[in-house]
Amino acid sequence: MDGEPPKLEFRGRFPLVLPGAGRVLRDPEAHWPPEILERSAVEARAARRRLVLLASPEAINEVLLNQDGAFPRARLHDRMLGASYGDNLVRGDRADWRRQRRRLLQPFNMPGAERPEKRIALACERIVDEWVRMPEDAPIDVIRDARRFTLDSLWRSFFCDEAAAGSVEPLVEATALAMDAHETAPLTDHLGDLGPLAELALERERARLAAEGAAAGDLNTMLLFLHAGHDNVAAALAWTLWLLAEHPDWQGRVREEWRGQASGGGFDAGAFPIAGAVIHETLRLYPPIMHLIREVERDIEVGGETVPGGFTTVLSLYALHRNRQWWEAPDAFRPERFLEAAPDIRRRLLWAPFGTGPRGCVGSAFARTEMIVALGTILDRLELRPGPGGGMRCRVDFVLRPEGRGAVAVRPAGR
């Protein structure tokens, strides 16, 4: 790779008088100024709304922890989620959301439960088998196939019994391909594609919980679980595979680590620090969820100054991760940042792709496992190379996504 990987180019100018907040979040490049990468806070007016973008690690952490209840989920966020998902477990401050989170993750967290690594590997091996059969140095559609893998992996891990986990569910494959065909369509279209699969998942969950004398959730929450449980990981995995194709030195280190650890018995994510560092750095550069939205009902300290409360805040994870105040060479791909000695508390606050606090991502541990197993399974058999279609590019539709269908090519990996 010549130079730095792609980044967002912010074109806004002061004074910031912005259109509706939804438009700003959908197209941040057109509205936020470059200064968001140099400051801890940037204030604007969006219609009649006072809007403050925060990129301070301490302020973001304080808001997300919400220990005194002064930073509730924003009404704007609820309206956006409600318009697409309907009522679900993350919309508003419903009292039963903790119970629903535990229930959705029960197959993964139960004592003595089968660990998901083997099922994840089966989902990935299906894709790798296809790639191995392609001509050497042929481009692969890494964006499409990352979605196929992550949806299949999620399904096998949470909605299959042992007998069914060895093969792909045809509806999973059809759903992934339909969503890929509608890649640039609105979220409501993607949820329409997911609808039949969500109904099947809910049917299976009801059967499982009925045997335990418990009630199942609702279709909207299942839609959210299936969508968020695979979509963000698919974007992150596509970015990671492309970055490794462009950085063969790091690709080789991840492969060597996997081969050295994979035969050692049970899976432990902590045994793969190099793969973990690559994943951390990819998520620093390209956090799928670029921003979280909260209401700020009291004054808050930001960078040694008091910002009066009474505003909607955009917690910009992208601006936090690339802020010139916190990071050296913030736009460069340097996984070694995460191979250094254990960071102090402040350094840990600088990396937050899954959010933090009681409403942090419910599936972050599963996503980490999924990414490590995918990288190891792929690189054990294949060498990734830059494809003929040029590099990846950034696209935002609330989520930060990669563009570039021919950006990665494959050939058999040497032993």
Side-chain angles (χ1 to χ4, degrees):
M1 178 188 296
D2 295 327
E4 297 172 338
K7 59 186 178 183
L8 299 180
E9 301 290 347
F10 297 105
R11 304 184 296 276
R13 293 290 180 265
F14 291 108
L16 287 177
V17 180
L18 305 176
R23 290 174 59 189
V24 174
L25 298 175
R26 187 178 295 108
D27 187 6
E29 287 183 287
H31 302 291
W32 290 117
E35 285 82 357
I36 69 170
L37 302 177
E38 302 169 355
R39 300 185 183 183
S40 299
V42 173
E43 188 160 344
R45 300 294 302 186
R48 292 179 292 176
R49 186 187 304 271
R50 182 178 165 220
L51 203 63
V52 178
L53 182 141
L54 290 179
S56 159
E58 290 82 6
I60 289 176
N61 187 66
E62 181 181 1
V63 170
L64 290 178
L65 289 178
N66 194 22
Q67 293 180 335
D68 61 2
F71 310 111
R73 185 175 295 276
R75 292 181 294 274
L76 169 66
H77 190 282
D78 281 356
R79 288 199 298 272
M80 291 164 55
L81 279 178
S84 298
Y85 291 110
D87 194 23
N88 56 68
L89 80 105
V90 300
R91 188 178 179 217
D93 291 301
R94 289 169 42 170
D96 65 343
W97 66 270
R98 291 179 186 273
R99 176 180 59 82
Q100 293 202 52
R101 282 163 59 116
R102 287 196 298 268
R103 185 179 64 228
L104 284 170
L105 294 177
Q106 188 177 15
F108 186 48
N109 293 331
M110 286 179 60
E114 177 192 358
R115 301 295 295 173
E117 296 84 38
K118 292 183 179 179
R119 297 188 181 199
I120 293 170
L122 286 171
C124 190
E125 286 166 0
R126 175 176 74 98
I127 304 297
V128 175
D129 286 344
E130 294 178 9
W131 291 354
V132 166
R133 293 192 291 268
M134 298 179 68
E136 187 169 303
D137 289 333
I140 59 175
D141 192 337
V142 71
I143 294 173
R144 180 199 65 193
D145 290 348
R147 184 181 296 280
R148 293 172 63 212
F149 158 66
T150 55
L151 187 59
D152 187 16
S153 169
L154 186 75
W155 185 265
R156 294 189 200 219
S157 298
F158 287 91
F159 300 105
C160 285
D161 59 24
E162 186 174 357
S167 59
V168 62
E169 162 64 50
L171 185 56
V172 169
E173 178 74 352
T175 301
L177 292 174
M179 294 180 71
D180 180 72
H182 300 152
E183 181 195 13
T184 60
L187 174 59
T188 49
D189 288 14
H190 283 191
L191 297 180
D193 293 330
L194 270 170
L197 190 64
E199 291 176 355
L200 178 58
L202 190 58
E203 178 184 320
R204 294 191 178 184
E205 186 193 33
R206 284 172 176 159
R208 175 176 66 85
L209 292 176
E212 302 170 8
D218 57 83
L219 183 61
N220 291 333
T221 296
M222 187 60 72
L223 274 170
L224 173 62
F225 181 78
L226 288 175
H227 188 268
H230 92 280
D231 185 67
N232 296 336
V233 184
L237 180 60
W239 280 118
T240 306
L241 294 175
W242 173 67
L243 286 166
L244 288 176
E246 297 283 346
H247 293 85
D249 52 338
W250 281 101
Q251 180 182 163
R253 294 178 69 179
V254 173
R255 179 182 294 110
E256 182 179 356
E257 177 182 70
W258 176 263
R259 289 176 175 175
Q261 294 289 345
S263 60
F267 178 87
D268 175 9
F272 300 91
I274 296 173
V278 168
I279 293 165
H280 271 67
E281 180 69 345
T282 302
L283 289 169
R284 185 190 69 81
L285 289 169
Y286 304 108
I289 303 301
M290 291 181 55
H291 28 237
L292 303 169
I293 315 167
R294 298 290 188 270
E295 303 289 358
V296 176
E297 298 178 346
R298 64 162 169 82
D299 297 356
I300 185 171
E301 296 294 318
V302 182
E305 298 184 3
T306 299
V307 180
F311 59 86
T312 299
T313 182
V314 176
L315 307 175
S316 178
L317 305 182
Y318 184 92
L320 171 71
H321 287 179
R322 293 186 183 241
N323 202 288
R324 278 77 176 117
Q325 297 177 98
W326 326 127
W327 300 92
E328 180 183 351
D331 296 320
F333 177 71
R334 295 184 179 179
E336 62 267 25
R337 303 177 206 269
F338 297 97
L339 287 174
E340 300 168 357
D344 58 23
I345 292 175
R346 192 167 197 281
R347 280 287 307 278
R348 290 200 294 271
L349 299 181
L350 289 172
W351 186 83
F354 301 109
T356 189
R359 286 186 175 272
C361 175
V362 301
S364 58
F366 179 78
R368 176 178 170 82
T369 298
E370 197 173 20
M371 293 275 287
I372 292 173
V373 172
L375 293 182
T377 303
I378 292 166
L379 295 179
D380 187 49
R381 298 175 61 187
L382 292 167
E383 178 186 345
L384 306 176
R385 299 170 59 81
M392 292 285 197
R393 301 171 299 280
C394 297
R395 179 174 68 85
V396 179
D397 59 356
F398 295 114
V399 172
L400 178 57
R401 301 184 185 279
E403 278 190 338
R405 293 287 177 161
V408 178
V410 294
R411 62 169 57 174
R415 288 281 176 174

